[in-house]
Amino acid sequence: MTDITTARTSASAASPAAPSPSVTSRLGDRTVKRVGYGAMQLAGPGVFGPPKDRDAALAVLREAVARGVDHIDTSDYYGPHITNQLIREALHPYPNELVIVTKVGAVRGADASWIPAAQPADLVRAVHDNLRNLGVDVLDVVNMRHMGAGHGPSEGSIEAPFSALAELQRQGLIRHLGLSNVTAAQVAEARGIAPVACVQNQYNLAHRADDALVDALLGMGIAYVPFFPLGGITPLQSSILSDVAGELGATPMQVALAWLLHRATNILLIPGTASLDHLRQNLRAAELTLPEGVLARLNAIGEKNVSPAAA
């Protein structure tokens, strides 16, 4: 792969570059680097059971932090319990600057199914599971995952589960609250109960249904954390992405991540991988500046306003 800095210089000579995206942004009361790490892929196949190579999983976590990653996304239902236990083994005692963001709202069945678990008792149990397996007294950020009626966001009140988490926050077990897989109306409802630090939804070049929500959250000072940065992109759209990546001497994943960094300053990234090589490539996406002409071509991928796919 061509060096990103060299490719960026060559591309910029041919087309004006957009302003370089900011390196950091806010997450609750912390300033973090905009490219973090998502730990979901460290569990076994289907995010269930132990990893095939435990030592490799531990090495990825340690390498991420060594390279400056200061926010990690996880959940105690990854595995279940496996991912948090790996994080603890690899990184505890945690660096002061590291923010660990976890999720609650589901449990795993014996058949690896994903089962909604958002009753107050479920959430209390989940928070204590996260505390125990991460080895901390307070969770930095807890996202309430709304399972809804399908795989993507669906309307419905989240008052009861979010109020239960707000009570745990008042008890001192959680510093900040966030949301995952939610609509704009649910964000508004949650903000009427307690401050919201971040929203984690599916969003990428093709799946742009949250465009208005991204902009609204930017105005509120709330971080937006997209997952599946390449999820659901069609072969035709992938061809455009691959062409751009080839011109820039980068990978399609790096370009997709760089586009998100250019999209809005409140976007934080959590690309996940169990590979050291892919981790290094993903982190280098922050170095990639996209020329204006490239941004226009990439923006066109989402012009048809594709609806969110299964998450």
Side-chain angles (χ1 to χ4, degrees):
M1 184 184 70
T2 305
D3 180 79
I4 284 179
T5 304
T6 302
R8 178 178 60 210
T9 302
S10 300
S12 297
S15 176
S20 297
S22 57
V23 176
T24 62
S25 191
R26 298 292 292 175
L27 178 56
D29 61 354
R30 303 282 288 274
T31 297
V32 297
K33 295 178 181 176
R34 293 182 64 200
V35 181
Y37 173 72
M40 184 175 73
Q41 293 186 34
L42 294 183
V47 200
F48 195 76
K52 293 180 180 178
D53 188 334
R54 187 178 186 88
D55 288 340
L58 296 172
V60 166
L61 285 164
R62 290 169 179 148
E63 177 84 359
V65 172
R67 287 180 173 264
V69 166
D70 56 9
H71 62 103
I72 292 176
D73 180 81
T74 185
S75 175
D76 209 58
Y77 57 67
Y78 293 164
H81 315 307
I82 298 294
T83 298
N84 279 353
Q85 291 168 357
L86 288 169
I87 291 171
R88 180 176 183 173
E89 182 176 347
L91 302 175
H92 196 278
Y94 304 114
N96 291 334
E97 65 273 15
L98 182 64
V99 178
I100 298 178
V101 182
T102 190
K103 284 180 294 297
V104 296
V107 294
R108 305 301 296 278
D111 59 352
S113 57
W114 303 78
I115 303 169
Q119 295 298 315
D122 297 326
L123 299 176
V124 170
R125 186 180 308 110
V127 165
H128 282 280
D129 284 345
N130 277 279
L131 289 166
R132 180 178 64 257
N133 285 310
L134 287 170
V136 295
D137 296 323
V138 184
L139 298 171
D140 293 325
V141 185
V142 174
N143 285 327
M144 193 206 78
R145 169 80 180 196
H146 179 58
M147 300 300 281
H151 293 290
S154 60
E155 295 291 359
S157 176
I158 59 171
E159 178 181 2
F162 200 73
S163 295
L165 290 178
E167 175 56 30
L168 294 172
Q169 184 184 39
R170 285 189 288 271
Q171 293 175 17
L173 299 179
I174 302 170
R175 290 193 177 92
H176 298 287
L177 298 175
L179 298 165
S180 179
N181 202 41
V182 292
T183 66
Q186 288 162 341
V187 173
E189 182 180 35
R191 293 184 72 224
I193 297 167
V196 173
C198 55
V199 172
Q200 186 182 107
N201 279 3
Q202 183 181 12
Y203 183 79
N204 58 40
L205 280 164
H207 293 283
R208 303 279 298 277
D210 268 4
D211 267 339
L213 180 58
V214 170
D215 295 334
L217 294 176
L218 175 61
M220 300 173 193
I222 296 174
Y224 184 92
V225 187
F227 56 79
F228 292 163
L230 290 179
I233 295 181
T234 68
L236 177 60
Q237 293 163 336
S238 293
S239 176
I240 297 172
L241 182 59
S242 295
D243 288 347
V244 167
E247 293 166 15
L248 296 178
T251 69
M253 182 68 164
Q254 286 173 325
V255 173
L257 294 174
W259 179 85
L260 287 166
L261 292 174
H262 282 73
R263 170 62 183 83
T265 58
N266 63 323
I267 287 181
L268 301 177
L269 304 183
I270 50 169
T273 181
S275 160
L276 281 172
D277 286 342
H278 288 162
L279 170 70
R280 293 162 186 157
Q281 290 179 20
N282 291 342
L283 294 179
R284 293 183 66 208
E287 304 170 16
L288 188 59
T289 299
L290 304 179
E292 291 284 5
V294 165
L295 281 174
R297 290 163 63 192
L298 295 174
N299 288 341
I301 290 176
E303 282 181 352
K304 293 186 178 180
N305 194 24
V306 180
S307 298

